[in-house]
Amino acid sequence: MRPLSAQRSVAGKATLIIGLVLLAIQFVAIIFAPWIAPYSPETADPINALQEPSLIHFFGTDVSGMDIFSRVIFATRINLLISVTAVAIAFVIGVPLGLAIGYYKGWGSSLAMRFFDFIQSFPVFVLGMVLVSVMGQEIWNVAIVLAVLFTPVFARLIRAEVLSLRDRPFIAAARCSGATDSAIMFQHILPNALTPAIVQISISIGMAILLTAGLSFVGAGVRMPTPEWGLMVSNGAQQMILGIWWVALFPGLAIVFSVLTFALLGDAAKQLFDPQTRSSS
């Protein structure tokens, strides 16, 4: 029988492969959307409104006559653009910030932590709605709002790792050798503190997709006729009771597909970065 660590390694690699395959499908949709989509995602055709799924309209049409399949394909660009941009901004800002407040103890570090507590004391969805309403319902504004919400997550993760590393013997040896604070922080501490933040990237992208769709669902995200999954679900939700199921179903499945992708990648990253797993392999 294989040891538990070896089984974890195999499971992590299998999960990673599945996640990468699902991610590749989404990248194909992003890159080749104009060639895959048979219709314009923003052109209304009232004559063909609420057509059921068929060989002409694979996923049917919505109340405006827009082809749902084409909108789902193009919405992949919008949702992943917003989510990946937001998490990238949060990572770039949160990691150096967490490194600084973890390494330098004092009133600045305490003030930053209290500010993070203030941001995270609000329900994420409610705070997102307020910020988007203030800044405006534009794609980049939604990305900036999500970046604000996710920055404390990365900062806290890095700070926790830095606090556990700053007093280790190898850091003391670096200080004795004459290394400056910046050298210690970026050459010795940061490389050893990045693993939790790297794992968190995939998880945060999945959360950002859900938040983006949720904000659009309640009318606080992107606006029509921009193709966006949450907005499409919102437009079709009221018609479900009338038996018009396809308008909300297919964009809803797209959300599930995309979030599942990044959940699998995050789970694979956790298993592959597990020290016990790496030592056994």
Side-chain angles (χ1 to χ4, degrees):
M1 236 182 124
R2 290 184 179 179
L4 181 60
S5 58
Q7 294 178 11
R8 288 179 178 175
S9 178
V10 173
K13 291 176 182 177
T15 305
L16 178 62
I17 292 173
I18 296 173
L20 290 175
V21 170
L22 298 181
L23 184 62
I25 294 174
Q26 294 178 72
F27 274 126
V28 169
I30 292 172
I31 296 171
F32 298 102
W35 294 273
I36 297 174
Y39 300 93
S40 169
E42 299 183 3
T43 300
D45 184 11
I47 297 177
N48 291 313
L50 299 178
Q51 296 289 316
E52 293 186 2
S54 64
L55 294 178
I56 299 175
H57 297 284
F58 301 141
F59 292 172
T61 61
D62 62 13
V63 70
S64 300
M66 291 185 284
D67 182 69
I68 296 174
F69 176 77
S70 300
R71 287 178 62 78
V72 167
I73 295 297
F74 274 91
T76 308
R77 287 182 171 183
I78 302 297
N79 284 77
L80 289 189
L81 174 65
I82 293 174
S83 303
V84 172
T85 301
V87 174
I89 294 173
F91 183 86
V92 170
I93 296 175
V95 168
L97 191 57
L99 181 63
I101 64 178
Y103 187 81
Y104 296 108
K105 295 181 178 179
W107 66 268
S109 177
S110 299
L111 182 62
M113 292 305 297
R114 299 295 77 75
F115 179 69
F116 292 157
D117 291 338
F118 175 75
I119 293 178
Q120 295 183 308
S121 64
F122 292 94
V124 174
F125 191 74
V126 174
L127 182 59
M129 288 177 59
V130 172
L131 293 176
V132 170
S133 299
V134 171
M135 298 179 63
Q137 295 176 251
E138 302 294 336
I139 292 175
W140 296 115
N141 288 342
V142 175
I144 292 172
V145 167
L146 293 180
V148 171
L149 298 177
F150 284 112
T151 295
V153 176
F154 288 101
R156 285 182 179 276
L157 282 174
I158 294 297
R159 177 180 178 273
E161 291 296 312
V162 172
L163 289 175
S164 67
L165 291 170
R166 67 189 306 275
D167 296 324
R168 295 282 182 89
F170 73 95
I171 300 299
R175 288 195 184 97
C176 293
S177 66
T180 63
D181 285 345
S182 59
I184 292 174
M185 290 168 62
F186 290 99
Q187 295 180 15
H188 299 282
I189 294 181
L190 184 59
N192 293 286
L194 272 179
T195 297
I198 293 174
V199 173
Q200 184 65 33
I201 288 175
S202 182
I203 299 172
S204 295
I205 291 176
M207 293 176 62
I209 292 171
L210 285 175
L211 283 173
T212 301
L215 289 172
S216 297
F217 182 85
V218 298
V222 299
R223 294 174 292 186
M224 286 290 288
T226 303
E228 196 281 326
W229 292 328
L231 184 60
M232 296 170 67
V233 173
S234 176
N235 291 337
Q238 297 178 353
Q239 299 159 0
M240 291 283 286
I241 195 172
L242 301 177
I244 305 173
W245 49 269
W246 58 90
V247 179
L249 175 65
F250 292 111
L253 291 177
I255 295 173
V256 173
F257 183 88
S258 190
V259 173
L260 175 64
T261 298
F262 291 101
L264 290 174
L265 291 176
D267 185 64
K270 283 183 182 179
Q271 297 185 52
L272 294 177
F273 280 113
D274 184 353
Q276 295 181 355
T277 302
R278 287 185 295 175
S279 63
S280 66
S281 59

